[in-house]
Amino acid sequence: MDAASDRPAVVLMSQRARGSEQHTPVWVLAVLGVVGSAALLGACWVSGHVHADAALLTVARFLHIAALAVGMGAVLAVDWLAVLWMRGLRSLPEVLNTARGLQVPIWGGLAGLLVTGLFLRPNLESSLTVVKVGLVLAITLNGLYAHWLGQRLAPYKSGPVPRSLLVQSAAAAALSQTGWWGAALIGFLNSQS
C-alpha cells in the first residue's frame, strides 16, 4: 500500500477523533476548584504582606484594569452568544465553539486579576472587599461548572436540549454576570475610598 491510499483512512480517523470530544473528568475540575480556592486565599494572605511603591501600584492598577477587560470581555462574549442561542438566533455549536475558543482569555484575565490584586493593597477588613473575594471565588467555581455544563450540552448540538440543561445554563450565565459585574463595581467603589 502506498501513502496516497492511506490518506483517506487517516482523514477519516482524524474526523472521528474531532467528532468525539473528550470530556474533562469531574475529579480534574474538582481539583482545579480546590487549587483555585487555595490560590485566592493565598493571594489574600500575600496581599497583606506586599508593600508596593507608587510606581508599582500604578502599573498594577493598569494591568488590573487590562485583565478585567480581557477576562470580563471574553465572558460577556460567551454569555451574549448564549442569550442569542436561547432566543433561537445562534446555534449551540457556535456558542460552544466560542466558549472553547475564549477559555484562555477568560482564565488568563481572572489569573491576571488575582496576581495584580496582590499589589493593590486590598483592605481585607472591609466587608465590601470580603464580598468581592467571595464573588471572585464564585466566578472561579462557576467557570469550572460552566466548562462541565458545556461538555453536557455538546451531545445536543443538532437536537433539542433538555429543559434542565437550559435552566442550568441560564443560572450559570446569571451567576457569571452577577459575579463579574459585582466584583468590578466593588473594585471601583474601593478605588474611590
Side-chain angles (χ1 to χ4, degrees):
M1 235 182 211
D2 66 348
S5 63
D6 288 349
R7 180 174 286 153
V10 171
V11 170
L12 181 59
M13 287 173 34
S14 69
Q15 287 172 341
R16 284 184 185 156
R18 281 195 305 264
S20 62
E21 298 179 28
Q22 293 188 354
H23 292 286
T24 305
V26 173
W27 70 267
V28 170
L29 296 174
V31 167
L32 290 172
V34 170
V35 169
S37 301
L40 181 60
L41 291 175
C44 289
W45 182 82
V46 169
S47 69
H49 298 84
V50 172
H51 303 289
D53 62 9
L56 181 56
L57 189 59
T58 300
V59 170
R61 282 185 181 138
F62 172 78
L63 292 176
H64 200 72
I65 292 169
L68 177 65
V70 169
M72 190 172 172
V75 166
L76 280 168
V78 171
D79 288 348
W80 177 248
L81 278 181
V83 167
L84 294 176
W85 163 63
M86 289 185 172
R87 294 186 60 215
L89 301 173
R90 291 288 186 273
S91 69
L92 181 55
E94 283 179 273
V95 176
L96 296 177
N97 289 337
T98 300
R100 196 172 11 260
L102 291 177
Q103 289 298 304
V104 171
I106 290 170
W107 292 107
L110 192 56
L113 288 169
L114 188 68
V115 170
T116 57
L118 295 173
F119 304 100
L120 298 181
R121 303 179 189 148
N123 178 6
L124 297 175
E125 294 179 9
S126 162
S127 57
L128 268 181
T129 302
V130 172
V131 169
K132 181 180 178 181
V133 170
L135 289 172
V136 171
L137 179 60
I139 289 166
T140 302
L141 298 177
N142 186 60
L144 294 169
Y145 176 72
H147 178 81
W148 176 85
L149 192 56
Q151 293 177 157
R152 296 303 159 287
L153 287 166
Y156 300 99
K157 287 181 178 178
S158 60
V161 176
R163 182 172 171 75
S164 64
L165 287 178
L166 290 173
V167 170
Q168 291 174 57
S169 297
L175 179 59
S176 172
Q177 290 302 308
T178 301
W180 280 93
W181 284 104
L185 176 62
I186 292 170
F188 172 75
L189 293 174
N190 282 344
S191 73
Q192 302 303 304
S193 56

